[in-house]
Amino acid sequence: MEGLESTTIASLTRNVMYPSAAVTAAAPLSTPATPATPATPAPLAAARDLRAMLPDELTSWVAAAGAPGYRAEQIFRWLHGHGIETLEAMTNVPATIREALEHDHPLVPLTQATVQTARDGTRKLAFRTHDGRAIESVLIPDEDAVRNKLTLCISSQVGCAIDCRFCATATLGFGRHLGAGEIVAQVYRATALAGRRPTNLVFMGMGEPLHNFDNVSRALALLEHPWGAGFSPRRLTVSTAGLVPGIDKLGALKPAPNLAISLNATTDEIRERIMPINKKWPLAALLDAARRFPLSHGRRVTFEYVLLAGVNDSDADADRLPRLLRGIPAKVNLIPWNPFQGPEFQRPSAERIRTFQERLRKAEVSVYIRSPRGDDIDAACGQLAARELVTIAPRA
Ligand code: SAH
């Protein structure tokens, strides 16, 4: 990812402010090509986290510990099938093995701090990491009771380095990557809270998942394994602001999950202003990556498009979008901008949103409007900022 792994894009672009949504002047952004400040590394503990170990790693550990091979499957099932939170809960695993595990690979805790329920039934789960950082996940029940879908939106980083102008998470800056164990723990906590496994998982919470590729791909493997939660890759969606090398790496995974791209503009000029990452990977490169992404029969790339009044919601935008997507099996999700304190963007009127959708429809684009879910508790797209927890001091 050409330096992105160890740097924060935010540090390069954060000083350039857009005082209003009327982004007409040319943006004097420095080009985010060279690394600046090193990112805070994930704490060491995350590397040893028992919950982050893949079945073959557990199998090797079990063999080295001189225990029978079936213990690896037992341990994995407890962690990823039952979502246990303490080693003592592994009742059929001998204490000697549990103690050895505790020594070599302690379970890194993810403490559930609060749950807020929105009027529409959406629930926001706030967590505290072992080093006192705050992250959030959002459980979104389907409005259609018959389909009975339950979508869980999970975080991949503490804060975010990408600095999209319209996003609340960006205002936190970059904290650190989440370990794979911390990513999957959100799923198991939400499962316990909901009383059932989510049907769909989307990496659309805090952070840029492809900036944390290694931990996210490991989390996908953990979630898909039949010994554990056994999610079908069709039920997993990774959303990106447009990290092109990461998209290629995601597409090379076997199996690959679904891809969502936060497109949000139809010209490089506008996209650069609202998403500085576009300087590094402009629209043409991004759409080429989408074209290369392997899609099995019937699958499509999702394009998210945050509608910002007067910025990217014109008829000209609606007419350019289908041309950009030509040749890509695509679905477009229009997300009317969700407000938060800070930037002076505005959500377009309901009529503008409908007209925008209609123009796309006429051009035979599959297009949906994402109604804001959980916005009364700041759980809607782009509102996650874990503010109430950021002041909690790290535990000793
Ligand atoms: N970093 C990844 C994952 C986050 S997904 C990505 O950018 O795809 C969060 C989605 O919400 C993105 O599509 C983003 O464009 C959108 N979003 C961010 N802020 C928003 C806001 N205030 N209102 C509506 N959507 C927003």
Side-chain angles (χ1 to χ4, degrees), residues 121-157:
T122 299
R123 278 184 284 186
K124 183 164 80 173
L125 288 71
F127 297 103
R128 189 169 39 156
T129 62
H130 71 95
D131 56 343
R133 307 295 191 112
I135 58 162
E136 295 173 339
S137 323
V138 184
L139 255 176
I140 312 155
D142 203 322
E143 281 152 309
D144 178 345
V146 179
R147 275 190 308 194
N148 208 19
K149 222 171 104 179
L150 181 65
T151 302
L152 178 68
C153 177
I154 53 179
S155 294
S156 56
Q157 296 177 321

Side-chain angles (χ1 to χ4, degrees), residues 73-92:
E73 178 173 344
Q74 271 181 335
I75 295 166
F76 194 91
R77 283 188 186 280
W78 280 118
L79 293 165
H80 301 277
H82 300 284
I84 55 145
E85 280 156 37
T86 61
L87 293 176
E88 295 74 67
M90 300 184 182
T91 46
N92 59 359

Side-chain angles (χ1 to χ4, degrees), residues 3-128:
L4 238 185
E5 305 281 16
S6 57
T7 61
T8 119
I9 294 178
S11 63
L12 293 151
T13 54
R14 178 158 295 284
N15 298 335
V16 183
M17 297 302 292
Y18 295 97
S20 81
V23 279
T24 44
L29 288 178
S30 58
T31 155
T34 36
T37 337
T40 318
L44 255 187
R48 295 169 58 216
D49 186 359
L50 176 59
R51 213 180 264 115
M53 289 176 81
L54 292 164
D56 57 338
E57 293 166 340
L58 266 179
T59 302
S60 305
W61 182 89
V62 161
Y70 65 84
R71 295 289 180 207
E73 178 173 344
Q74 271 181 335
I75 295 166
F76 194 91
R77 283 188 186 280
W78 280 118
L79 293 165
H80 301 277
H82 300 284
I84 55 145
E85 280 156 37
T86 61
L87 293 176
E88 295 74 67
M90 300 184 182
T91 46
N92 59 359
V93 177
T96 47
I97 297 183
R98 283 189 266 128
E99 279 152 23
L101 262 184
E102 178 71 52
H103 178 266
D104 292 352
H105 295 285
L107 257 184
V108 173
L110 186 71
T111 312
Q112 191 171 302
T114 57
V115 178
Q116 282 174 280
T117 306
R119 281 190 294 272
D120 65 10
T122 299
R123 278 184 284 186
K124 183 164 80 173
L125 288 71
F127 297 103
R128 189 169 39 156

Side-chain angles (χ1 to χ4, degrees), residues 153-154 156-157 160 162 164-170 202-210 238-243 260-264 271 275 303-308 333 335-340 343 345 347 370 380-384:
C153 177
I154 53 179
S156 56
Q157 296 177 321
C160 188
I162 306 298
C164 301
R165 303 295 182 219
F166 46 81
C167 179
T169 306
V202 295
F203 285 75
M204 295 185 187
M206 297 164 72
E208 165 53 47
L210 298 185
V238 173
S239 180
T240 179
L243 276 63
I261 293 179
S262 299
L263 193 65
N264 299 342
R271 196 164 192 274
M275 302 180 72
F303 288 90
E304 293 147 289
Y305 195 97
V306 182
L307 283 167
L308 306 163
N333 279 339
I335 317 176
W337 185 66
N338 294 308
F340 60 93
F345 289 111
R347 183 184 291 186
R370 273 237 214 118
C381 296
Q383 291 185 317
L384 300 186

